[in-house]
Amino acid sequence: GNSVTQMEGPVTLSEEAFLTINCTYTATGYPSLFWYVQYPGEGLQLLLKATKADDKGSNKGFEATYRKETTSFHLEKGSVQVSDSAVYFCALRNDAGNMLTFGGGTRLMVKP
Amino acid sequence: DAGITQSPRYKITETGRQVTLMCHQTWSHSYMFWYRQDLGHGLRLIYYSAAADITDKGEVPDGYVVSRSKTENFPLTLESATRSQTSVYFCASAGHEQYFGPGTRLTVT
C-alpha cells in the first residue's frame, strides 16, 4: 500500500536559516506528490506539487524535487521567516484517483 | 463566497448525543472527503464521496455516518458521540487538487 514518512518535529530554526524537511514515500505506480501547509487554527493549504519524476514544485520560496530513484520529495527553503511557522504535510496521490495519503506532519517553529 | 466552508467551527457536546458537522463547497467538485486530525495520528480519512449518492469508508469510519444527496454538501454525523471522537474535523473537496475547509473543533464531554 501507499505510505508517506516525514521527519518528526518540531523543527526550530532562527529567522533566515535554511530549511529542509525530509519526506520519503512508498507507492505503486507513478504517484503525484504534494506539500501542504497548515497555519495555526486553519485548514491545510496546498503549498506545491510535482506530478512526475524530476519535476520541481515551487511556491513562496519553497521548493521540492520529485526524486523517483530515492522515493523522496524533500521540502526546502533558503531563508525562513517567522511567518513560515506552521505544520507541513507531505502527501501522495496515486494514479487511481483523488485519494491522498498523508505523512504525519512536521511542525516548524521559526524564532526571530 | 467561493470555496469550501464548514459549520459549526466549534462544538461542545455530551457523550451519547447526535452531532452533525456540515460541509459545503461551491466548485461542483465530484470528490469530497472527511478527515479527523489528532495529535500523534496526523490526518486520518473517515469517509469520502466520489459523487452525489456515492460514498465509501476510509481508514476510521466506525461511529460516523455520511450522506451526499447534493454535489455541494457532504454532512458528517456522529450518531452517538463518544469522548474518543473529540478531534478537529476537516472536510475537503477535490478537482485537480484537494482543497480543505477551515475545520470544526469538536469536544465530547
Side-chain angles (χ1 to χ4, degrees):
Chain A
N2 299 331
S3 68
V4 176
T5 302
Q6 293 179 232
M7 59 189 294
E8 289 197 16
V11 173
T12 303
L13 296 173
S14 297
E15 207 164 23
E16 299 183 2
F18 185 86
L19 168 71
T20 300
I21 299 178
N22 290 337
C23 171
T24 58
Y25 68 90
T26 302
T28 55
Y30 301 93
S32 296
L33 302 174
F34 303 83
W35 277 101
Y36 281 82
V37 58
Q38 183 181 31
Y39 299 104
E42 298 183 11
L44 278 70
Q45 302 173 25
L46 179 64
L47 180 60
L48 54 85
K49 68 176 183 179
T51 58
K52 61 183 187 295
D54 300 325
D55 266 2
K56 177 185 283 187
S58 61
N59 186 25
K60 299 182 180 179
F62 291 90
E63 292 183 340
T65 301
Y66 189 162
R67 302 286 188 200
K68 190 162 179 65
E69 64 276 14
T70 54
T71 61
S72 65
F73 193 54
H74 305 320
L75 183 68
E76 297 182 335
K77 187 176 185 182
S79 176
V80 293
Q81 306 299 312
V82 172
S83 57
D84 294 326
S85 298
V87 180
Y88 293 82
F89 291 91
C90 186
L92 70 82
R93 186 179 68 205
N94 196 286
D95 280 345
N98 275 303
M99 307 291 292
L100 286 176
T101 300
F102 285 93
T106 303
R107 181 175 298 278
L108 170 66
M109 295 190 291
V110 181
K111 297 184 176 180
Chain B
D1 288 339
I4 183 165
T5 56
Q6 294 183 235
S7 61
R9 293 294 313 278
Y10 303 91
K11 177 75 177 177
I12 301 174
T13 191
E14 295 177 340
T15 300
R17 295 213 180 242
Q18 183 179 81
V19 177
T20 296
L21 310 183
M22 304 301 293
C23 178
H24 176 78
Q25 53 107 352
T26 61
W27 294 298
S28 299
H29 287 159
S30 294
Y31 277 86
M32 295 188 74
F33 306 85
W34 274 107
Y35 297 90
R36 58 178 291 173
Q37 184 178 31
D38 305 288
L39 279 175
H41 291 281
L43 280 162
R44 293 183 289 177
L45 182 65
I46 304 170
Y47 268 96
Y48 68 99
S49 168
D53 297 322
I54 301 175
T55 63
D56 209 346
K57 296 178 181 179
E59 183 185 356
V60 289
D62 293 343
Y64 303 95
V65 174
V66 293
S67 62
R68 188 135 178 241
S69 58
K70 293 183 178 181
T71 299
E72 61 267 30
N73 297 325
F74 191 38
L76 176 75
T77 298
L78 289 66
E79 292 193 303
S80 178
T82 65
R83 290 196 179 115
S84 65
Q85 293 176 311
T86 292
S87 186
V88 181
Y89 291 85
F90 289 101
C91 178
S93 71
H96 292 293
E97 291 94 27
Q98 278 197 28
Y99 297 91
F100 284 76
T104 295
R105 183 174 295 274
L106 176 68
T107 302
V108 183
T109 63

PDB file of all heavy atoms in Angstrom, chain A residues 34 36 38 41-44 46 49 89 93 97-100 102-104, chain B residues 9 31 33 35 37 42-43 45 48 90 94-98 100-102:
ATOM      1  N   PHE A  34       2.808  16.042  -3.092  1.00  0.00           N
ATOM      2  CA  PHE A  34       2.320  17.341  -2.647  1.00  0.00           C
ATOM      3  C   PHE A  34       2.944  17.716  -1.315  1.00  0.00           C
ATOM      4  O   PHE A  34       3.270  16.847  -0.509  1.00  0.00           O
ATOM      5  CB  PHE A  34       0.795  17.302  -2.445  1.00  0.00           C
ATOM      6  CG  PHE A  34       0.006  16.885  -3.646  1.00  0.00           C
ATOM      7  CD1 PHE A  34      -0.172  15.542  -3.936  1.00  0.00           C
ATOM      8  CD2 PHE A  34      -0.557  17.831  -4.476  1.00  0.00           C
ATOM      9  CE1 PHE A  34      -0.896  15.140  -5.050  1.00  0.00           C
ATOM     10  CE2 PHE A  34      -1.292  17.449  -5.600  1.00  0.00           C
ATOM     11  CZ  PHE A  34      -1.458  16.096  -5.875  1.00  0.00           C
ATOM     12  N   TYR A  36       1.551  20.262   1.729  1.00  0.00           N
ATOM     13  CA  TYR A  36       0.520  21.135   2.264  1.00  0.00           C
ATOM     14  C   TYR A  36       1.073  21.834   3.499  1.00  0.00           C
ATOM     15  O   TYR A  36       1.905  21.280   4.225  1.00  0.00           O
ATOM     16  CB  TYR A  36      -0.727  20.340   2.666  1.00  0.00           C
ATOM     17  CG  TYR A  36      -1.626  19.944   1.518  1.00  0.00           C
ATOM     18  CD1 TYR A  36      -1.335  18.819   0.745  1.00  0.00           C
ATOM     19  CD2 TYR A  36      -2.763  20.685   1.213  1.00  0.00           C
ATOM     20  CE1 TYR A  36      -2.170  18.456  -0.310  1.00  0.00           C
ATOM     21  CE2 TYR A  36      -3.598  20.327   0.168  1.00  0.00           C
ATOM     22  CZ  TYR A  36      -3.302  19.217  -0.595  1.00  0.00           C
ATOM     23  OH  TYR A  36      -4.116  18.853  -1.628  1.00  0.00           O
ATOM     24  N   GLN A  38      -0.218  23.980   7.082  1.00  0.00           N
ATOM     25  CA  GLN A  38      -1.332  24.296   7.973  1.00  0.00           C
ATOM     26  C   GLN A  38      -0.879  25.336   8.980  1.00  0.00           C
ATOM     27  O   GLN A  38      -0.064  25.048   9.865  1.00  0.00           O
ATOM     28  CB  GLN A  38      -1.830  23.039   8.696  1.00  0.00           C
ATOM     29  CG  GLN A  38      -3.029  23.288   9.582  1.00  0.00           C
ATOM     30  CD  GLN A  38      -3.489  22.042  10.303  1.00  0.00           C
ATOM     31  OE1 GLN A  38      -2.700  21.161  10.631  1.00  0.00           O
ATOM     32  NE2 GLN A  38      -4.783  21.952  10.563  1.00  0.00           N
ATOM     33  N   GLY A  41      -4.748  27.141  13.630  1.00  0.00           N
ATOM     34  CA  GLY A  41      -6.181  27.401  13.611  1.00  0.00           C
ATOM     35  C   GLY A  41      -6.818  27.353  12.246  1.00  0.00           C
ATOM     36  O   GLY A  41      -7.993  27.713  12.099  1.00  0.00           O
ATOM     37  N   GLU A  42      -6.075  26.904  11.232  1.00  0.00           N
ATOM     38  CA  GLU A  42      -6.612  26.894   9.876  1.00  0.00           C
ATOM     39  C   GLU A  42      -6.596  25.492   9.273  1.00  0.00           C
ATOM     40  O   GLU A  42      -6.018  24.561   9.836  1.00  0.00           O
ATOM     41  CB  GLU A  42      -5.808  27.841   8.985  1.00  0.00           C
ATOM     42  CG  GLU A  42      -5.868  29.288   9.426  1.00  0.00           C
ATOM     43  CD  GLU A  42      -5.124  30.200   8.475  1.00  0.00           C
ATOM     44  OE1 GLU A  42      -4.743  29.763   7.374  1.00  0.00           O
ATOM     45  OE2 GLU A  42      -4.922  31.373   8.843  1.00  0.00           O
ATOM     46  N   GLY A  43      -7.216  25.367   8.116  1.00  0.00           N
ATOM     47  CA  GLY A  43      -7.154  24.124   7.368  1.00  0.00           C
ATOM     48  C   GLY A  43      -5.867  24.029   6.579  1.00  0.00           C
ATOM     49  O   GLY A  43      -5.042  24.936   6.594  1.00  0.00           O
ATOM     50  N   LEU A  44      -5.699  22.933   5.889  1.00  0.00           N
ATOM     51  CA  LEU A  44      -4.498  22.723   5.091  1.00  0.00           C
ATOM     52  C   LEU A  44      -4.615  23.482   3.769  1.00  0.00           C
ATOM     53  O   LEU A  44      -5.678  23.554   3.160  1.00  0.00           O
ATOM     54  CB  LEU A  44      -4.310  21.235   4.773  1.00  0.00           C
ATOM     55  CG  LEU A  44      -3.675  20.369   5.848  1.00  0.00           C
ATOM     56  CD1 LEU A  44      -4.615  20.172   7.032  1.00  0.00           C
ATOM     57  CD2 LEU A  44      -3.261  19.021   5.269  1.00  0.00           C
ATOM     58  N   LEU A  46      -2.638  23.896  -0.055  1.00  0.00           N
ATOM     59  CA  LEU A  46      -1.640  23.343  -0.954  1.00  0.00           C
ATOM     60  C   LEU A  46      -0.487  24.324  -1.100  1.00  0.00           C
ATOM     61  O   LEU A  46      -0.686  25.504  -1.425  1.00  0.00           O
ATOM     62  CB  LEU A  46      -2.254  23.060  -2.319  1.00  0.00           C
ATOM     63  CG  LEU A  46      -1.296  22.485  -3.367  1.00  0.00           C
ATOM     64  CD1 LEU A  46      -0.792  21.117  -2.930  1.00  0.00           C
ATOM     65  CD2 LEU A  46      -2.001  22.387  -4.715  1.00  0.00           C
ATOM     66  N   LYS A  49       3.397  21.185  -5.629  1.00  0.00           N
ATOM     67  CA  LYS A  49       3.184  19.811  -6.071  1.00  0.00           C
ATOM     68  C   LYS A  49       4.147  19.459  -7.199  1.00  0.00           C
ATOM     69  O   LYS A  49       4.732  20.345  -7.837  1.00  0.00           O
ATOM     70  CB  LYS A  49       1.752  19.612  -6.544  1.00  0.00           C
ATOM     71  CG  LYS A  49       1.427  20.373  -7.825  1.00  0.00           C
ATOM     72  CD  LYS A  49       0.011  20.066  -8.300  1.00  0.00           C
ATOM     73  CE  LYS A  49      -0.276  20.781  -9.624  1.00  0.00           C
ATOM     74  NZ  LYS A  49      -1.652  20.479 -10.123  1.00  0.00           N
ATOM     75  N   PHE A  89       2.787  19.143   5.758  1.00  0.00           N
ATOM     76  CA  PHE A  89       2.402  17.766   5.467  1.00  0.00           C
ATOM     77  C   PHE A  89       2.835  17.400   4.056  1.00  0.00           C
ATOM     78  O   PHE A  89       2.530  18.114   3.103  1.00  0.00           O
ATOM     79  CB  PHE A  89       0.890  17.586   5.545  1.00  0.00           C
ATOM     80  CG  PHE A  89       0.315  17.695   6.920  1.00  0.00           C
ATOM     81  CD1 PHE A  89      -0.119  18.906   7.420  1.00  0.00           C
ATOM     82  CD2 PHE A  89       0.195  16.566   7.726  1.00  0.00           C
ATOM     83  CE1 PHE A  89      -0.659  19.011   8.681  1.00  0.00           C
ATOM     84  CE2 PHE A  89      -0.345  16.655   8.999  1.00  0.00           C
ATOM     85  CZ  PHE A  89      -0.766  17.873   9.475  1.00  0.00           C
ATOM     86  N   ARG A  93      -0.613  11.201  -4.121  1.00  0.00           N
ATOM     87  CA  ARG A  93      -1.855  10.794  -4.751  1.00  0.00           C
ATOM     88  C   ARG A  93      -1.531   9.755  -5.800  1.00  0.00           C
ATOM     89  O   ARG A  93      -0.755   9.989  -6.710  1.00  0.00           O
ATOM     90  CB  ARG A  93      -2.571  11.967  -5.409  1.00  0.00           C
ATOM     91  CG  ARG A  93      -3.948  11.614  -5.966  1.00  0.00           C
ATOM     92  CD  ARG A  93      -4.614  12.820  -6.594  1.00  0.00           C
ATOM     93  NE  ARG A  93      -3.909  13.240  -7.801  1.00  0.00           N
ATOM     94  CZ  ARG A  93      -3.943  14.488  -8.272  1.00  0.00           C
ATOM     95  NH1 ARG A  93      -4.616  15.413  -7.641  1.00  0.00           N
ATOM     96  NH2 ARG A  93      -3.287  14.798  -9.369  1.00  0.00           N
ATOM     97  N   GLY A  97      -6.849   7.737  -8.425  1.00  0.00           N
ATOM     98  CA  GLY A  97      -7.939   8.674  -8.184  1.00  0.00           C
ATOM     99  C   GLY A  97      -7.523   9.854  -7.346  1.00  0.00           C
ATOM    100  O   GLY A  97      -6.365  10.230  -7.349  1.00  0.00           O
ATOM    101  N   ASN A  98      -8.463  10.415  -6.625  1.00  0.00           N
ATOM    102  CA  ASN A  98      -8.207  11.636  -5.867  1.00  0.00           C
ATOM    103  C   ASN A  98      -7.811  11.410  -4.418  1.00  0.00           C
ATOM    104  O   ASN A  98      -7.719  12.343  -3.651  1.00  0.00           O
ATOM    105  CB  ASN A  98      -9.442  12.528  -5.901  1.00  0.00           C
ATOM    106  CG  ASN A  98      -9.473  13.392  -7.137  1.00  0.00           C
ATOM    107  OD1 ASN A  98      -8.547  14.142  -7.396  1.00  0.00           O
ATOM    108  ND2 ASN A  98     -10.520  13.268  -7.912  1.00  0.00           N
ATOM    109  N   MET A  99      -7.554  10.167  -4.042  1.00  0.00           N
ATOM    110  CA  MET A  99      -7.226   9.885  -2.657  1.00  0.00           C
ATOM    111  C   MET A  99      -5.810  10.324  -2.342  1.00  0.00           C
ATOM    112  O   MET A  99      -4.879  10.044  -3.094  1.00  0.00           O
ATOM    113  CB  MET A  99      -7.334   8.378  -2.401  1.00  0.00           C
ATOM    114  CG  MET A  99      -8.657   7.790  -2.808  1.00  0.00           C
ATOM    115  SD  MET A  99      -9.978   8.360  -1.755  1.00  0.00           S
ATOM    116  CE  MET A  99      -9.533   7.556  -0.239  1.00  0.00           C
ATOM    117  N   LEU A 100      -5.660  11.011  -1.206  1.00  0.00           N
ATOM    118  CA  LEU A 100      -4.342  11.429  -0.737  1.00  0.00           C
ATOM    119  C   LEU A 100      -3.916  10.571   0.442  1.00  0.00           C
ATOM    120  O   LEU A 100      -4.729  10.271   1.312  1.00  0.00           O
ATOM    121  CB  LEU A 100      -4.358  12.886  -0.291  1.00  0.00           C
ATOM    122  CG  LEU A 100      -4.420  13.959  -1.388  1.00  0.00           C
ATOM    123  CD1 LEU A 100      -4.531  15.347  -0.756  1.00  0.00           C
ATOM    124  CD2 LEU A 100      -3.204  13.885  -2.278  1.00  0.00           C
ATOM    125  N   PHE A 102      -1.291  10.936   3.539  1.00  0.00           N
ATOM    126  CA  PHE A 102      -0.517  11.989   4.193  1.00  0.00           C
ATOM    127  C   PHE A 102       0.575  11.405   5.084  1.00  0.00           C
ATOM    128  O   PHE A 102       0.404  10.340   5.698  1.00  0.00           O
ATOM    129  CB  PHE A 102      -1.427  12.837   5.080  1.00  0.00           C
ATOM    130  CG  PHE A 102      -2.301  13.786   4.320  1.00  0.00           C
ATOM    131  CD1 PHE A 102      -3.574  13.412   3.944  1.00  0.00           C
ATOM    132  CD2 PHE A 102      -1.843  15.051   3.980  1.00  0.00           C
ATOM    133  CE1 PHE A 102      -4.388  14.284   3.237  1.00  0.00           C
ATOM    134  CE2 PHE A 102      -2.647  15.931   3.284  1.00  0.00           C
ATOM    135  CZ  PHE A 102      -3.921  15.537   2.904  1.00  0.00           C
ATOM    136  N   GLY A 103       1.653  12.142   5.207  1.00  0.00           N
ATOM    137  CA  GLY A 103       2.618  11.894   6.255  1.00  0.00           C
ATOM    138  C   GLY A 103       2.083  12.454   7.561  1.00  0.00           C
ATOM    139  O   GLY A 103       1.019  13.070   7.612  1.00  0.00           O
ATOM    140  N   GLY A 104       2.830  12.243   8.639  1.00  0.00           N
ATOM    141  CA  GLY A 104       2.361  12.636   9.960  1.00  0.00           C
ATOM    142  C   GLY A 104       2.445  14.124  10.253  1.00  0.00           C
ATOM    143  O   GLY A 104       1.937  14.577  11.278  1.00  0.00           O
TER     144      GLY A 104
ATOM    145  N   ARG B   9     -17.871  25.924  13.532  1.00  0.00           N
ATOM    146  CA  ARG B   9     -16.407  25.915  13.675  1.00  0.00           C
ATOM    147  C   ARG B   9     -15.986  25.298  15.006  1.00  0.00           C
ATOM    148  O   ARG B   9     -14.924  24.693  15.092  1.00  0.00           O
ATOM    149  CB  ARG B   9     -15.848  27.336  13.579  1.00  0.00           C
ATOM    150  CG  ARG B   9     -16.000  27.978  12.217  1.00  0.00           C
ATOM    151  CD  ARG B   9     -15.156  27.261  11.145  1.00  0.00           C
ATOM    152  NE  ARG B   9     -13.799  27.009  11.569  1.00  0.00           N
ATOM    153  CZ  ARG B   9     -12.827  27.903  11.517  1.00  0.00           C
ATOM    154  NH1 ARG B   9     -13.055  29.115  11.045  1.00  0.00           N
ATOM    155  NH2 ARG B   9     -11.606  27.576  11.933  1.00  0.00           N
ATOM    156  N   TYR B  31     -15.419  14.906  -5.970  1.00  0.00           N
ATOM    157  CA  TYR B  31     -14.918  14.226  -4.781  1.00  0.00           C
ATOM    158  C   TYR B  31     -14.989  15.125  -3.552  1.00  0.00           C
ATOM    159  O   TYR B  31     -14.626  16.298  -3.606  1.00  0.00           O
ATOM    160  CB  TYR B  31     -13.460  13.805  -4.985  1.00  0.00           C
ATOM    161  CG  TYR B  31     -13.295  12.511  -5.733  1.00  0.00           C
ATOM    162  CD1 TYR B  31     -13.277  12.478  -7.121  1.00  0.00           C
ATOM    163  CD2 TYR B  31     -13.145  11.309  -5.038  1.00  0.00           C
ATOM    164  CE1 TYR B  31     -13.122  11.280  -7.806  1.00  0.00           C
ATOM    165  CE2 TYR B  31     -12.986  10.112  -5.718  1.00  0.00           C
ATOM    166  CZ  TYR B  31     -12.980  10.106  -7.093  1.00  0.00           C
ATOM    167  OH  TYR B  31     -12.824   8.924  -7.769  1.00  0.00           O
ATOM    168  N   PHE B  33     -14.318  14.740   0.962  1.00  0.00           N
ATOM    169  CA  PHE B  33     -13.664  13.899   1.968  1.00  0.00           C
ATOM    170  C   PHE B  33     -13.933  14.448   3.362  1.00  0.00           C
ATOM    171  O   PHE B  33     -14.060  15.653   3.555  1.00  0.00           O
ATOM    172  CB  PHE B  33     -12.143  13.908   1.744  1.00  0.00           C
ATOM    173  CG  PHE B  33     -11.710  13.527   0.360  1.00  0.00           C
ATOM    174  CD1 PHE B  33     -11.669  14.475  -0.647  1.00  0.00           C
ATOM    175  CD2 PHE B  33     -11.331  12.224   0.069  1.00  0.00           C
ATOM    176  CE1 PHE B  33     -11.269  14.146  -1.932  1.00  0.00           C
ATOM    177  CE2 PHE B  33     -10.927  11.875  -1.212  1.00  0.00           C
ATOM    178  CZ  PHE B  33     -10.899  12.836  -2.210  1.00  0.00           C
ATOM    179  N   TYR B  35     -11.880  14.157   7.117  1.00  0.00           N
ATOM    180  CA  TYR B  35     -10.716  13.711   7.870  1.00  0.00           C
ATOM    181  C   TYR B  35     -10.883  14.121   9.331  1.00  0.00           C
ATOM    182  O   TYR B  35     -11.555  15.092   9.634  1.00  0.00           O
ATOM    183  CB  TYR B  35      -9.436  14.397   7.385  1.00  0.00           C
ATOM    184  CG  TYR B  35      -9.030  14.107   5.968  1.00  0.00           C
ATOM    185  CD1 TYR B  35      -9.472  14.903   4.914  1.00  0.00           C
ATOM    186  CD2 TYR B  35      -8.155  13.067   5.676  1.00  0.00           C
ATOM    187  CE1 TYR B  35      -9.075  14.665   3.616  1.00  0.00           C
ATOM    188  CE2 TYR B  35      -7.739  12.815   4.370  1.00  0.00           C
ATOM    189  CZ  TYR B  35      -8.210  13.626   3.343  1.00  0.00           C
ATOM    190  OH  TYR B  35      -7.808  13.390   2.064  1.00  0.00           O
ATOM    191  N   GLN B  37      -8.203  15.045  12.631  1.00  0.00           N
ATOM    192  CA  GLN B  37      -6.801  15.331  12.932  1.00  0.00           C
ATOM    193  C   GLN B  37      -6.598  15.264  14.430  1.00  0.00           C
ATOM    194  O   GLN B  37      -7.218  15.997  15.196  1.00  0.00           O
ATOM    195  CB  GLN B  37      -6.391  16.704  12.416  1.00  0.00           C
ATOM    196  CG  GLN B  37      -4.908  17.005  12.621  1.00  0.00           C
ATOM    197  CD  GLN B  37      -4.497  18.349  12.050  1.00  0.00           C
ATOM    198  OE1 GLN B  37      -5.274  19.298  12.012  1.00  0.00           O
ATOM    199  NE2 GLN B  37      -3.258  18.436  11.583  1.00  0.00           N
ATOM    200  N   GLY B  42      -1.761  12.435  12.949  1.00  0.00           N
ATOM    201  CA  GLY B  42      -1.832  13.161  11.691  1.00  0.00           C
ATOM    202  C   GLY B  42      -3.270  13.267  11.207  1.00  0.00           C
ATOM    203  O   GLY B  42      -4.204  13.386  11.996  1.00  0.00           O
ATOM    204  N   LEU B  43      -3.454  13.184   9.909  1.00  0.00           N
ATOM    205  CA  LEU B  43      -4.778  13.234   9.292  1.00  0.00           C
ATOM    206  C   LEU B  43      -5.220  11.820   8.945  1.00  0.00           C
ATOM    207  O   LEU B  43      -4.485  11.085   8.274  1.00  0.00           O
ATOM    208  CB  LEU B  43      -4.718  14.055   8.007  1.00  0.00           C
ATOM    209  CG  LEU B  43      -4.732  15.554   8.159  1.00  0.00           C
ATOM    210  CD1 LEU B  43      -4.238  16.206   6.891  1.00  0.00           C
ATOM    211  CD2 LEU B  43      -6.121  16.047   8.484  1.00  0.00           C
ATOM    212  N   LEU B  45      -8.441   9.576   7.212  1.00  0.00           N
ATOM    213  CA  LEU B  45      -9.639   9.663   6.389  1.00  0.00           C
ATOM    214  C   LEU B  45     -10.780   8.895   7.027  1.00  0.00           C
ATOM    215  O   LEU B  45     -10.632   7.708   7.359  1.00  0.00           O
ATOM    216  CB  LEU B  45      -9.332   9.117   4.990  1.00  0.00           C
ATOM    217  CG  LEU B  45     -10.462   9.178   3.977  1.00  0.00           C
ATOM    218  CD1 LEU B  45     -10.819  10.622   3.653  1.00  0.00           C
ATOM    219  CD2 LEU B  45     -10.069   8.436   2.699  1.00  0.00           C
ATOM    220  N   TYR B  48     -15.292   9.196   2.309  1.00  0.00           N
ATOM    221  CA  TYR B  48     -15.174  10.026   1.126  1.00  0.00           C
ATOM    222  C   TYR B  48     -16.343   9.732   0.185  1.00  0.00           C
ATOM    223  O   TYR B  48     -17.065   8.743   0.346  1.00  0.00           O
ATOM    224  CB  TYR B  48     -13.826   9.830   0.423  1.00  0.00           C
ATOM    225  CG  TYR B  48     -13.616   8.482  -0.217  1.00  0.00           C
ATOM    226  CD1 TYR B  48     -13.813   8.308  -1.582  1.00  0.00           C
ATOM    227  CD2 TYR B  48     -13.191   7.401   0.541  1.00  0.00           C
ATOM    228  CE1 TYR B  48     -13.604   7.078  -2.163  1.00  0.00           C
ATOM    229  CE2 TYR B  48     -12.985   6.170  -0.036  1.00  0.00           C
ATOM    230  CZ  TYR B  48     -13.186   5.999  -1.388  1.00  0.00           C
ATOM    231  OH  TYR B  48     -12.981   4.779  -1.977  1.00  0.00           O
ATOM    232  N   PHE B  90     -11.834  17.956   9.420  1.00  0.00           N
ATOM    233  CA  PHE B  90     -11.647  18.717   8.190  1.00  0.00           C
ATOM    234  C   PHE B  90     -12.404  18.061   7.053  1.00  0.00           C
ATOM    235  O   PHE B  90     -12.320  16.852   6.846  1.00  0.00           O
ATOM    236  CB  PHE B  90     -10.167  18.809   7.808  1.00  0.00           C
ATOM    237  CG  PHE B  90      -9.379  19.697   8.716  1.00  0.00           C
ATOM    238  CD1 PHE B  90      -8.595  19.165   9.713  1.00  0.00           C
ATOM    239  CD2 PHE B  90      -9.429  21.082   8.558  1.00  0.00           C
ATOM    240  CE1 PHE B  90      -7.859  19.992  10.552  1.00  0.00           C
ATOM    241  CE2 PHE B  90      -8.703  21.910   9.390  1.00  0.00           C
ATOM    242  CZ  PHE B  90      -7.928  21.360  10.394  1.00  0.00           C
ATOM    243  N   ALA B  94     -12.174  17.905  -4.034  1.00  0.00           N
ATOM    244  CA  ALA B  94     -11.054  17.729  -4.965  1.00  0.00           C
ATOM    245  C   ALA B  94     -11.493  17.879  -6.408  1.00  0.00           C
ATOM    246  O   ALA B  94     -12.437  17.229  -6.851  1.00  0.00           O
ATOM    247  CB  ALA B  94     -10.391  16.372  -4.745  1.00  0.00           C
ATOM    248  N   GLY B  95     -10.749  18.760  -7.090  1.00  0.00           N
ATOM    249  CA  GLY B  95     -10.751  18.795  -8.536  1.00  0.00           C
ATOM    250  C   GLY B  95      -9.414  18.215  -8.956  1.00  0.00           C
ATOM    251  O   GLY B  95      -9.152  17.028  -8.788  1.00  0.00           O
ATOM    252  N   HIS B  96      -8.496  19.051  -9.401  1.00  0.00           N
ATOM    253  CA  HIS B  96      -7.137  18.567  -9.673  1.00  0.00           C
ATOM    254  C   HIS B  96      -6.361  18.381  -8.379  1.00  0.00           C
ATOM    255  O   HIS B  96      -5.461  17.553  -8.304  1.00  0.00           O
ATOM    256  CB  HIS B  96      -6.395  19.546 -10.586  1.00  0.00           C
ATOM    257  CG  HIS B  96      -6.945  19.598 -11.975  1.00  0.00           C
ATOM    258  ND1 HIS B  96      -6.867  18.534 -12.838  1.00  0.00           N
ATOM    259  CD2 HIS B  96      -7.597  20.585 -12.632  1.00  0.00           C
ATOM    260  CE1 HIS B  96      -7.441  18.856 -13.982  1.00  0.00           C
ATOM    261  NE2 HIS B  96      -7.893  20.088 -13.884  1.00  0.00           N
ATOM    262  N   GLU B  97      -6.651  19.196  -7.359  1.00  0.00           N
ATOM    263  CA  GLU B  97      -6.026  19.045  -6.042  1.00  0.00           C
ATOM    264  C   GLU B  97      -7.128  19.063  -5.003  1.00  0.00           C
ATOM    265  O   GLU B  97      -8.246  19.484  -5.277  1.00  0.00           O
ATOM    266  CB  GLU B  97      -5.052  20.187  -5.749  1.00  0.00           C
ATOM    267  CG  GLU B  97      -3.807  20.201  -6.594  1.00  0.00           C
ATOM    268  CD  GLU B  97      -3.954  21.071  -7.802  1.00  0.00           C
ATOM    269  OE1 GLU B  97      -4.742  22.032  -7.768  1.00  0.00           O
ATOM    270  OE2 GLU B  97      -3.280  20.787  -8.807  1.00  0.00           O
ATOM    271  N   GLN B  98      -6.734  18.633  -3.809  1.00  0.00           N
ATOM    272  CA  GLN B  98      -7.683  18.720  -2.692  1.00  0.00           C
ATOM    273  C   GLN B  98      -7.599  20.093  -2.043  1.00  0.00           C
ATOM    274  O   GLN B  98      -6.514  20.622  -1.806  1.00  0.00           O
ATOM    275  CB  GLN B  98      -7.386  17.638  -1.645  1.00  0.00           C
ATOM    276  CG  GLN B  98      -7.964  16.299  -2.012  1.00  0.00           C
ATOM    277  CD  GLN B  98      -8.035  15.335  -0.850  1.00  0.00           C
ATOM    278  OE1 GLN B  98      -8.143  15.736   0.315  1.00  0.00           O
ATOM    279  NE2 GLN B  98      -7.974  14.053  -1.161  1.00  0.00           N
ATOM    280  N   PHE B 100      -9.077  22.210   1.342  1.00  0.00           N
ATOM    281  CA  PHE B 100      -9.586  21.920   2.667  1.00  0.00           C
ATOM    282  C   PHE B 100     -10.407  23.068   3.233  1.00  0.00           C
ATOM    283  O   PHE B 100     -10.118  24.245   2.981  1.00  0.00           O
ATOM    284  CB  PHE B 100      -8.419  21.645   3.628  1.00  0.00           C
ATOM    285  CG  PHE B 100      -7.810  20.292   3.441  1.00  0.00           C
ATOM    286  CD1 PHE B 100      -6.964  20.035   2.378  1.00  0.00           C
ATOM    287  CD2 PHE B 100      -8.107  19.263   4.308  1.00  0.00           C
ATOM    288  CE1 PHE B 100      -6.415  18.782   2.189  1.00  0.00           C
ATOM    289  CE2 PHE B 100      -7.563  17.998   4.135  1.00  0.00           C
ATOM    290  CZ  PHE B 100      -6.729  17.760   3.074  1.00  0.00           C
ATOM    291  N   GLY B 101     -11.417  22.695   4.016  1.00  0.00           N
ATOM    292  CA  GLY B 101     -12.147  23.687   4.779  1.00  0.00           C
ATOM    293  C   GLY B 101     -11.365  24.103   6.015  1.00  0.00           C
ATOM    294  O   GLY B 101     -10.294  23.561   6.301  1.00  0.00           O
ATOM    295  N   PRO B 102     -11.909  25.057   6.781  1.00  0.00           N
ATOM    296  CA  PRO B 102     -11.192  25.601   7.940  1.00  0.00           C
ATOM    297  C   PRO B 102     -11.220  24.703   9.161  1.00  0.00           C
ATOM    298  O   PRO B 102     -10.491  24.951  10.120  1.00  0.00           O
ATOM    299  CB  PRO B 102     -11.928  26.904   8.218  1.00  0.00           C
ATOM    300  CG  PRO B 102     -13.309  26.651   7.715  1.00  0.00           C
ATOM    301  CD  PRO B 102     -13.161  25.775   6.528  1.00  0.00           C
TER     302      PRO B 102
END
